[in-house]
Amino acid sequence: GPVKLGIALLGLVADPDDKAVVLVLGHHEEFTLYSAVALANMSSDPESDLWSLAKSVEGWGRIELVDRLAKTTNPAIKRWLLREGYRNRIMYEYTAYACATAGDLRSAITADEVDPELLGAAGDIIRALITGGPAKDMNDYDHAAVVVTAYLRHIAPKADDLQHYLVVKSVRDYLKDENWNRAAREKNGWDDTLRQQALTICQSVLDQPRWSARAREGLNSSDELVFSDANMVAADLGIDTWEMHWRRLREKPLESGRWFHVMHGASAERARTVIA
C-alpha cells in the first residue's frame, strides 16, 4: 500500500528524474499498473517506456500494459504486440483481441508468405479469440472470416505440430457450433460458402493419419506443455490415455492435476484401482 501511494505521488510530481525508480518498481506486477500511470505523467516518451516495461513482465502487468499500448502507431510496437505481446501467464484471452487489432493481424496473415513465428502467433491468437471469456473475442472481431481462412490456407500444407492440430480443431468446433447465428456472423465476414470451405480445410488437416503417432510421441514427453497438448489431441482422436496418466500419477502423486486426469472418465474398475 505505501509503495503504491509513493508511486502515485511521484506521478503527480512528474519529475523525470524519478523515472528510473518508477521503472524498477514497475517490474513487480503488483506495481506495474501504478507505474504505468506515473510514467504517462513524467516521461517524455511514455509509449517507449511502457513498451520496455511490458517486455519485462508476464502476468497482470503485461495485460495492463498491452491495453495501454493498443492505440500505438509505432510499427515496432505493433509487430511486438502481434508476435509476442499477447503472451502472458494468466490467459491469452485477455490480450488476444487487443493484439489482433493493434498489431493488424489481418494484414499480416493475408500476405502471400508468412514466417513460422507469425504463423504460430496467429494460431495462438485465433484459438484465444475462439475460446473467449474475459475480454472481446472472435464474435467482436470484424476480420474473423478473413483471418481464419487466411490462417487455414497457410497452415494446411504445413500442419505437423500438435499446436497446429489444436488450433485447427478449435476453428472446426467454432464453425460447427450448433448455435451458429448466420445473420450475426455476417458482420464478421462469414457466409455459408466461406464457412463450408473453411470446414472442409479443417477436416482435411485433422484427418491426416500422422496425428495419432504425434500424439503418442507427445504423451511420452517430459515437457509438461507438450504432454498437455498431446493429451488433448489424443482425447479428440479417441486414444485411451489412462495407463499413461496412471504411470505419471505414481511417479509424482503429490501433483494434484495428475489425480484429475486419472479419475476423469475412469471406469469403475480403474477407479477402484486408484482408490486402493
Side-chain angles (χ1 to χ4, degrees):
V3 175
K4 291 174 182 177
L5 177 59
I7 296 172
L9 291 173
L10 290 178
L12 288 172
V13 174
D15 185 341
D17 291 341
D18 295 325
K19 189 177 80 170
V21 174
V22 173
L23 281 170
V24 169
L25 292 171
H27 282 69
H28 191 306
E29 309 242 13
E30 185 72 19
F31 307 135
T32 308
L33 174 59
Y34 294 82
S35 296
V37 175
L39 287 168
N41 291 336
M42 67 174 57
S43 174
S44 60
D45 186 7
E47 191 172 78
S48 293
D49 287 327
L50 293 181
W51 182 29
S52 174
L53 190 55
K55 289 186 283 187
S56 70
V57 290
E58 299 177 340
W60 286 110
R62 174 169 289 194
I63 292 170
E64 295 285 359
L65 290 170
V66 163
D67 185 57
R68 280 159 174 74
L69 291 169
K71 295 181 180 179
T72 185
T73 58
N74 183 324
I77 298 178
K78 291 167 74 74
R79 177 183 172 86
W80 177 81
L81 288 170
L82 187 58
R83 293 171 176 264
E84 185 179 347
Y86 69 91
R87 295 191 177 98
N88 63 77
R89 293 195 314 266
I90 312 302
M91 289 175 68
Y92 289 1
E93 289 80 357
Y94 277 107
T95 49
Y97 181 86
C99 291
T101 51
D104 196 4
L105 175 58
R106 179 181 182 276
S107 295
I109 199 66
T110 53
D112 291 337
E113 296 293 332
V114 173
D115 62 85
E117 180 191 50
L118 176 59
L119 196 59
D124 287 342
I125 291 172
I126 288 170
R127 191 175 171 196
L129 286 171
I130 290 172
T131 301
K136 287 186 176 181
D137 57 29
M138 193 64 86
N139 294 327
D140 303 294
Y141 188 39
D142 291 342
H143 306 305
V146 173
V147 165
V148 168
T149 53
Y151 173 81
L152 292 175
R153 174 171 58 84
H154 286 298
I155 203 65
K158 304 174 183 177
D160 194 43
D161 185 90
L162 295 173
Q163 281 283 334
H164 297 157
Y165 183 101
L166 291 171
V167 176
V168 174
K169 174 189 177 298
S170 180
V171 172
R172 178 200 65 187
D173 294 345
Y174 162 72
L175 294 172
K176 292 182 72 174
D177 182 3
E178 61 182 20
N179 295 316
W180 181 274
N181 185 322
R182 183 171 60 181
R185 294 293 191 275
E186 285 181 357
K187 67 181 178 64
N188 305 124
W190 292 106
D191 58 37
D192 290 344
T193 300
L194 203 58
R195 180 188 180 196
Q196 190 54 54
Q197 289 173 346
L199 275 169
T200 300
I201 297 174
C202 288
Q203 207 56 53
S204 69
V205 171
L206 299 178
D207 285 344
Q208 294 295 321
R210 61 176 170 270
W211 294 121
S212 179
R214 293 283 189 279
R216 294 180 190 279
E217 179 183 344
L219 288 170
N220 288 305
S221 175
S222 58
D223 186 314
E224 290 297 324
L225 292 177
V226 173
F227 179 86
S228 176
D229 288 344
N231 186 53
M232 287 186 281
V233 173
D236 192 57
L237 295 174
I239 298 173
D240 185 355
T241 59
W242 189 84
E243 291 292 345
M244 181 67 68
H245 287 300
W246 180 226
R247 176 181 63 76
R248 283 167 52 84
L249 174 63
R250 286 179 292 164
E251 289 173 353
K252 294 185 177 181
L254 297 182
E255 290 196 8
S256 60
R258 298 192 178 191
W259 287 92
F260 169 81
H261 287 299
V262 161
M263 291 302 293
H264 182 66
S267 64
E269 181 181 355
R270 285 174 170 176
R272 284 192 292 270
T273 299
V274 177
I275 293 167

